[in-house]
Amino acid sequence: MAPTARTPQTISWYWWLPLVTIVLLVCIVGGFIWLGLKTEHEERHTALVGDSLWMEQNLRFHLENTESVLSQVGTLLAPNPADLSDALEEKVRTLLQGSSGLVTILWLDAEGNTVTTLPASSAPVMLAGDHDVAIQRARALNRPTYTRPFVQADGSYAIEAVIPVFGSQKFSGYVVGSYSLPRLIEKHVPWWFAERYRFVLTDNNGQELAGTTSSTMPEREAEFHISLDQIGGLGMNVSSTPTATRIIPGVIIITLLGFTLLIAWSMWALRNHVLRLQTTESALRREHAFRLAMENSALVGLYARDDAGRITHVNLAFCRMIGWSSDELVGCTSPMPYCLPDEHHTNTPATGMAEVQSAHEARFLHRDGRIINVLVSEAPLVDADGHQGGWMGSVLDITERKEAEALARLQQERLEATARLVGMGEMASTLAHEINQPLSAIASYSAGCLNALRNGRYNEKQFLEVLEKVNQQAQRAGRIVHRIYDFVKRSESRREAVDINPTIRESIGVLENDAQRRKVRIECSLGKNIPTIQADRTLIEQVIINLLRNGMDAMQNTPEAARLLQVSSQWLTEEDSVRIAITDHGSGVPSHIADRLFDSFFTTKPEGMGMGLKICRSVAEQHNGRLWFEPAATGGTSFFLQLPAGEEDKPAA
Ligand code: ADP
């Protein structure tokens, strides 16, 4: 059954499904990337805040630490500010060169006047704008105080830490540490922090005063601001720089998009391809339907079989012809269900692949038991690649034609028999008429002689005359017989080179229907390389037919299963003759009639004429051959017709 055709419209949704799936996949992957980025961003922000707070603590700790060191320096300076001990000088140097971020240290007396500047060799020190305010506040609060940021000579910003110093229970003065902000950052911002973040110190208006080198980076991802209370109104801005993680999702998304487009394009190409295939398929289906309709309307039966002889296809006409359905036949191998039990060889397809089998007649068995005569012709089944994959056979039912032919042949035979009878009658009447006169003359002469002899009135001379006339009349009768014989002989045989095996087959063909009706099987065993004989084909055929028919007649009372007529041909090389043997399984020839079988008009049949064997023998003799019979081992009789091989066409022995 042909599958229901799907139009492109009905399946269009089917084509969009993979595309939608891919888009969904892209969306989901995109969502995951976005979520991942968001989480990562939040994590980075948390880390930024944590690191910024740590940085603030770190800075405060260092500043407080430096405050206490400055306080110690102040305590040591207070007794004698002008004269620095070696130890103190060393301490101050360490402080200035170390990681404190200090650039100068001043010692101010209790009134705020600069007494000592360290290092002593430094250039004139710039003081913060609110220097005095810071001193006053430090004194008032009695704790370290920071000035606001101010610009130094080199353009960089600085702040001052003012630490009040008490010595021997009384206020001694101030230690002022001047921090360079870039230096402070350089000394206190660790490398990993600078790598990861942009660090900037600002004033309370948000103006950037100093920052890490990475602060020049144009892009900023997140920013965190902390006010460094009580340290000169400073604030610190920490911002993170974008990392490579941003690029990776971009690449993934572009790749995904590219793949989506590629898949969409391939789907489109595939769709077009399938559409083309569908168009071809529907064209093929139309073609198939057309061919099927053509095949089913044909009267010729068709079958196809593969290499192994398995039926792969049959048409409706073939199914009708033999009464089996297509489903039952397809897949069948030899012996086929429509083959006659002892004849399947004729219906078995040829095995030689290179061989092209020509048309041959065969007999098939219809499912209802009827025997049908068919004409089978086969041709190789060659595929698109030129390989032979089996055979295609066409079968023509010729039963009616055969029956008509057999009927015509029977009528012809009857006609010929009648003609022969008429001819024989005519010949007999002619013979009678012609021969009547000499015989009557002989009768009257011999009657005269007898009368004369009885009366005793005769002389020798008269007697001789009468006997001479009797002799003349007898010779005349003989001549009449010879003339008629010559006439019959003249109308005889036209010799030609006859191939005996086809002649035997033709003779069997003539009797085929008769044999079928009488349930007689005819078995052939024909020799090979048999030379031709010079003979009248029609007469030889008539002899064979006659012998076959006699054999069938003899098997009238034989059980059906044993009704077998065997025909064989053979070349007797030594005698250079061809011998045909016809053996029946009949009643045999009773010994008391064996000598009379070839006599004219001898018959044991109610409707027989008794001329068959007589004529057959005379035909054999005309051809310089012989006809005889022998009891067969099977119980029947074997008739042998032996004819000398012709001069031409003799194969090598
Ligand atoms: P017809 O067939 O008209 O009787 P034939 O000359 O052909 O004339 O046969 C003569 C007779 O020979 C037959 O009637 C039959 O008795 C006998 N005869 C011929 N062939 C066979 C045979 N195969 N088996 C037994 N008897 C046979």
Side-chain angles (χ1 to χ4, degrees):
M1 287 290 281
T4 325
R6 282 192 192 179
T7 61
Q9 286 72 28
T10 56
I11 59 154
S12 58
W13 66 269
Y14 181 81
W15 288 106
W16 289 111
L17 197 64
L19 203 65
V20 170
T21 315
I22 291 160
V23 170
L24 269 176
L25 180 78
V26 169
C27 289
I28 288 167
V29 172
F32 274 122
I33 291 170
W34 176 79
L35 234 129
L37 283 176
K38 195 165 174 272
T39 313
E40 198 188 321
H41 180 79
E42 278 168 8
E43 274 173 8
R44 277 215 300 277
H45 192 259
T46 311
L48 171 77
V49 171
D51 288 346
S52 302
L53 290 173
W54 174 86
M55 192 63 223
E56 184 207 357
Q57 290 299 317
N58 186 39
L59 211 58
R60 277 188 193 281
F61 174 76
H62 276 288
L63 289 174
E64 277 168 19
N65 209 20
T66 312
E67 278 169 20
S68 67
V69 175
L70 285 174
S71 180
Q72 283 170 22
V73 170
T75 313
L76 292 171
L77 268 173
N80 194 2
D83 188 19
L84 265 69
S85 67
D86 288 348
L88 185 60
E89 218 174 305
E90 180 60 33
K91 194 174 182 84
V92 168
R93 201 179 309 119
T94 312
L95 197 61
L96 292 172
Q97 286 170 2
S99 61
S100 62
L102 288 170
V103 280
T104 50
I105 299 170
L106 304 179
W107 170 251
L108 310 182
D109 61 15
E111 280 72 42
N113 300 316
T114 306
V115 181
T116 312
T117 306
L118 297 170
S121 58
S122 63
V125 175
M126 288 189 74
L127 295 174
D130 59 345
H131 178 77
D132 296 335
V133 180
I135 288 171
Q136 282 165 22
R137 205 165 57 237
R139 180 72 189 93
L141 296 173
N142 208 12
R143 65 177 181 84
T145 310
Y146 287 85
T147 64
R148 291 191 176 284
F150 61 95
V151 184
Q152 284 188 304
D154 61 358
S156 66
Y157 281 87
I159 54 165
E160 285 174 358
V162 181
I163 294 117
V165 179
F166 293 86
S168 313
Q169 303 297 323
K170 71 175 183 73
F171 179 69
S172 308
Y174 306 90
V175 174
V176 177
S178 185
Y179 290 98
S180 159
L181 292 186
R183 190 135 176 234
L184 194 70
I185 287 171
E186 186 195 332
K187 295 291 180 188
H188 291 291
V189 177
W191 65 269
W192 60 266
F193 193 91
E195 281 273 300
R196 205 177 290 169
Y197 306 110
R198 178 178 186 263
F199 180 84
V200 174
L201 286 173
T202 59
D203 62 11
N204 53 4
N205 296 323
Q207 191 198 336
E208 291 184 7
L209 305 174
T212 52
T213 47
S214 61
S215 60
T216 51
M217 282 182 182
E219 256 187 293
R220 287 171 210 186
E221 191 185 44
E223 202 170 56
F224 189 65
H225 181 80
I226 300 172
S227 275
L228 297 170
D229 294 331
Q230 295 165 6
I231 304 176
L234 281 180
M236 52 182 257
N237 253 1
V238 181
S239 52
S240 58
T241 54
T243 57
T245 47
R246 267 186 167 185
I247 302 161
I248 293 164
V251 171
I252 293 172
I253 287 166
I254 288 168
T255 313
L256 267 175
L257 211 70
F259 271 116
T260 310
L261 287 175
L262 197 71
I263 291 168
W265 176 81
S266 61
M267 292 290 299
W268 183 256
L270 198 67
R271 180 181 180 274
N272 285 344
H273 181 67
V274 171
L275 284 179
R276 271 199 304 279
L277 281 182
Q278 278 174 345
T279 315
T280 317
E281 193 189 313
S282 67
L284 274 175
R285 210 175 280 129
R286 273 200 306 278
E287 177 74 17
H288 176 74
F290 173 71
R291 283 181 185 276
L292 201 70
M294 242 171 68
E295 216 182 272
N296 289 343
S297 67
L299 292 174
V300 178
L302 295 172
Y303 68 82
R305 60 180 179 81
D306 60 17
D307 284 352
R310 187 178 292 106
I311 292 183
T312 54
H313 173 77
V314 286
N315 76 340
L316 205 62
F318 187 69
C319 294
R320 272 199 220 111
M321 204 180 284
I322 55 170
W324 294 88
S325 73
S326 161
D327 292 342
E328 288 165 320
L329 288 172
V330 170
C332 281
T333 49
S334 185
M336 301 296 176
Y338 52 84
C339 285
L340 288 169
D342 54 339
E343 270 189 37
H344 64 85
H345 61 279
T346 52
N347 306 323
T348 310
T351 46
M353 294 311 288
E355 177 186 345
V356 177
Q357 197 165 313
S358 55
H360 65 273
E361 285 188 12
R363 297 193 314 151
F364 282 1
L365 182 66
H366 192 276
R367 199 173 196 167
D368 62 11
R370 264 186 302 131
I371 288 175
I372 47 175
N373 291 291
V374 288
L375 186 71
V376 183
S377 58
E378 285 203 324
L381 206 58
V382 180
D383 65 17
D385 300 330
H387 297 128
Q388 187 184 336
W391 292 83
M392 184 81 211
S394 62
V395 184
L396 198 63
D397 188 349
I398 52 165
T399 312
E400 282 181 18
R401 198 185 86 191
K402 277 278 208 186
E403 280 171 1
E405 271 174 16
L407 194 68
R409 210 178 290 120
L410 196 71
Q411 280 170 350
Q412 180 67 25
E413 265 186 51
R414 281 191 189 141
L415 209 68
E416 280 171 14
T418 315
R420 272 202 302 274
L421 277 177
V422 171
M424 275 176 71
E426 276 177 5
M427 203 167 70
S429 64
T430 312
L431 195 66
H433 177 74
E434 289 275 324
I435 219 160
N436 196 32
Q437 280 180 345
L439 287 179
S440 331
I442 289 167
S444 64
Y445 285 131
S446 57
C449 282
L450 280 172
N451 281 337
L453 278 172
R454 277 192 198 112
N455 297 335
R457 286 193 310 243
Y458 65 92
N459 59 44
E460 198 174 329
K461 192 176 166 243
Q462 274 179 330
F463 223 84
L464 273 170
E465 273 176 19
V466 172
L467 279 177
E468 253 173 40
K469 281 182 182 163
V470 166
N471 187 27
Q472 280 170 2
Q473 288 306 318
Q475 281 179 3
R476 190 180 154 211
R479 277 201 302 279
I480 289 167
V481 169
H482 268 285
R483 212 179 62 230
I484 288 173
Y485 180 70
D486 282 348
F487 172 75
V488 172
K489 220 175 164 186
R490 263 206 310 280
S491 64
E492 268 176 4
S493 66
R494 275 183 35 220
R495 302 285 173 93
E496 59 186 324
V498 175
D499 207 345
I500 203 68
N501 286 347
T503 315
I504 294 173
R505 275 195 219 101
E506 288 218 347
S507 310
I508 293 172
V510 171
L511 291 177
E512 215 164 29
N513 286 344
D514 204 9
Q516 218 173 296
R517 193 171 44 77
R518 298 192 196 195
K519 310 263 190 278
V520 172
R521 281 177 298 129
I522 303 178
E523 209 175 75
C524 261
S525 155
L526 306 179
K528 285 186 178 152
N529 295 331
I530 296 181
T532 53
I533 52 168
Q534 284 296 316
D536 185 321
R537 180 194 293 274
T538 322
L539 288 181
I540 300 298
E541 216 174 83
Q542 285 303 322
V543 172
I544 297 169
I545 290 170
N546 200 68
L547 295 177
L548 288 171
R549 191 166 278 153
N550 277 352
M552 287 200 281
D553 288 345
M555 290 193 287
Q556 222 161 16
N557 299 322
T558 307
E560 272 182 26
R563 287 183 198 168
L564 176 67
L565 203 53
Q566 289 163 304
V567 186
S568 67
S569 65
Q570 163 185 27
W571 180 33
L572 307 172
T573 44
E574 280 179 19
E575 296 175 46
D576 198 14
S577 305
V578 176
R579 182 183 286 180
I580 301 154
I582 295 165
T583 304
D584 62 61
H585 288 64
S587 48
V589 180
S591 55
H592 64 277
I593 61 164
D595 294 340
R596 297 160 57 204
L597 230 55
F598 292 95
D599 289 355
S600 299
F601 304 111
F602 173 78
T603 179
T604 56
K605 301 169 195 168
E607 289 156 21
M609 222 166 81
M611 284 301 288
L613 286 178
K614 167 81 184 157
I615 295 170
C616 288
R617 178 167 268 182
S618 63
V619 168
E621 283 167 0
Q622 266 174 40
H623 287 81
N624 303 322
R626 297 195 290 139
L627 177 69
W628 75 100
F629 71 90
E630 287 169 14
T634 49
T637 316
S638 290
F639 275 83
F640 299 96
L641 170 66
Q642 190 167 316
L643 300 165
E647 289 307 309
E648 297 153 29
D649 289 345
K650 268 193 212 170

